[in-house]
Amino acid sequence: MSVAPRPTLRPDLLAQLAGAAAFDLAVIGGGATGLGVALDAAARGFRVVLIEDGDFARGTSSRSTKLVHGGVRYLAQGNLSLVKEALRERTILLHNAPHLARPIPFVMPSYKVWEAPFYGFGLKLYDALAADASLGDTRFLGRRDTLDALPNVRSHGLRGGVQYWDGQFDDARLAIALARTAASRGALLVNRVGLTGFDHEAGKVVGLQCIDHETGRPYAIRAACVVNATGVWVDTVRGIDAQAAARTVRPTVSPSQGVHIVVDRDFLPGDHALLVPRTEDGRVLFAVPWLGKTLIGTTDTPQSSASFEPRAQQDELDFLLRESALHLDRAPAPSDIRSIWVGLRPLLRPASEPDASGKIATRAISREHAVMVSPSGLVTVTGGKWTTYRSMAEDVLEHCARAGLIERRPAGVTVSLPVVGGGANPDALRPLSDAPGTHLYGDEADLLTSLPGADRELIAGLSEAMVRFAARLEYARTVEDMLARRSRLLFLDASAARSVAPAVAHILAEETGVDPALAAFELLAARYADPLSVDCK
C-alpha cells in the first residue's frame, strides 16, 4: 500500500522549521544515505528534521551507474559479506520501489576459450549467495544467443557469453520518493537550507545553525542527535564541529570520480546490458539501456577535492570511447554523445599512504561504509553505496542508540515499507530501458494525469503536468531540479534539456513564485553537452 501524497509548499516547510521544538534527530545531507536515515528514524516514530544545502540527490546520489547490484566486482575481491548484504538489500529495494527499480539481464561476452567458464563459475557463486533473492539463473550463451542479446557487440572472435541478472533503478527519482515517504511519516525535510554552524553545550552538539539560501533567513534547530550524511563533504562538516573544541580531524574520505556518457539506444539495442569485467586498466565497464538511451561508464579516478559539478577530463572521455570501440562493432564517436555527467564517490580513506603521484588508487578501496561518533556526539556516516542505503541507515541509528543519543527502538521497520508510488503492480510496469513516461510515477500516475497540462507535452516524455507535480509534491524549485532529477532529461540529452528549459522555467515560476534559475541551467546544460569547452562551477 502506498502512502498518501503530501504537498511540499516551501513556506509551510519553513514555518514548521521556525516553529518546531527540539527534534530527536537532525540529519545534514539529502542524498541516499541521509534520506535513508531520515526515513528509518521517522518510521520508528522519532521526530526528524533533514536539511540539504542544495537539492535532494544533487551530488553523488543522482550520478550513479543506475544499478541495484550485489557487486560482481566485490565478489572478485573476496568481500563475500558485502556481496551478501547488497544482494539482500537489492531484493528489498526492488520490492519497495517496483516503479523505479527493475531486474535487468547482463551479458558478459567471451572471446577466449577460458573466459566463459571462468566468469561463469564466479557468477554461479553470485547466484548461490543470492539464494532466494536471486533474480534469475546464470546461463551460458552460444555465439548466436550472445549476438541476439547484444546485437552491436563486437562479433569478430566472439565465442559466446554468460548471462546473469541484477537490478537497475532511477537513482534521483528514488531519492525524491524516499524524501516524500519520510515526510509522510512525519519527518520535516527542506532543501536549499545550508549548515552554518553547530550549537554546543558542555562540549556536546545540541543543535545546529542553518540558513535558507532563497531568503537568507537563519534558523536554529535543536536536536538530541545530529547525523552528518554529506557524502564527499563529511570531513568539511566534521571540521566545523571540531573548530569549537579546537580539535583537528583526520580525513576519512578519498573521493573517486566516475564519468558516464550517454548515447542513443541503437548503440545497444534490446533490453540486455553489457558488462566488460576487465578493461585495459583493470576497471569494469558497463553499457546499459536506460530510459530510452544507452549509458556507458564508468571511470574511477582519484580526486583531491570535491566539487558540486565535477568536471570530466579528456583522458576519461577518451577511455570510455576507446573501450566502447573495443567492444562494439559500431562504436560512438564524440559527436554521438548526448550527455556527459560526473559523480564523486565518498570512498573510505585507507590507512595506506598515497602513491608517488600523491593520489590513492581507488579501485581497490572498499565500498563498505563506516559510522563514527565524535567526542562532541556528532554522528558521521560515509562510504557505502546506493544499494545498501537502507541497511546503512539501520546501522547509523544503532550507533546513535549505542552512544545514548536516542533511545533504542526495534529495527527492520523499512524492510517492507513501500516508497511513495510503490503500490503499483510490478507486472504492469514497463522496464527502465523504455523511454521515460508516467510509468515512473507508479500508483501516482492517475494523480499526475489529473493535473493541468497532462495532455500537453513540452518534449517527448515530459508533460506540463509533470512540472506542476514536481513543484507541488516533489520539492522542485529550479529548472535544474526539474530537468536533472525529477525528469532525467539533462542526463539523457543535454541539448534537448536546454531547448525545453524556457518552457519549464515559465511553469515553475507560475507554481512557486520564485526565480527558477533558467540562465544557470542553460550554462549547466551546455556543460553536460560539452564539458571540455564550458566552465561551470
Side-chain angles (χ1 to χ4, degrees), residues 1 25 121 164 187 208 226 239 250 297 301 321 349-350 431 450 503 515 525:
M1 181 180 68
L25 190 76
F121 173 79
Y164 74 100
L208 52 89
V226 178
R250 176 184 177 273
T301 309
L321 291 172
R349 180 179 288 266
S450 72
D515 179 7

Side-chain angles (χ1 to χ4, degrees), residues 446-456 464-470 472-473:
D446 288 343
L447 174 59
L448 171 69
T449 56
S450 72
L451 296 181
D455 57 348
R456 291 192 289 276
E464 177 184 322
M466 290 177 178
V467 183
R468 298 192 187 280
F469 188 97
R472 297 179 188 185
L473 294 170

Side-chain angles (χ1 to χ4, degrees), residues 40 43-44 92 96 390 394 397 409-417:
D40 197 314
R44 299 191 201 192
I92 294 172
N96 288 340
R390 195 204 64 82
E394 289 189 337
L397 294 184
R409 296 180 183 177
V413 293
T414 56
V415 170
S416 300
L417 178 62

Side-chain angles (χ1 to χ4, degrees), residues 179-199:
R180 295 180 61 210
T181 309
S184 75
R185 293 295 177 127
L188 174 61
L189 301 96
V190 192
N191 53 355
R192 290 189 166 72
V193 170
L195 175 74
T196 57
F198 289 100
D199 291 326

Side-chain angles (χ1 to χ4, degrees), residues 104 168 265 270-272 289-293 430-435:
I104 183 173
Q168 181 184 44
R265 182 67 171 276
D271 293 327
H272 289 68
W290 185 64
L291 298 180
K293 299 289 185 181
R430 288 153 43 194
L432 287 177
S433 55
D434 283 357

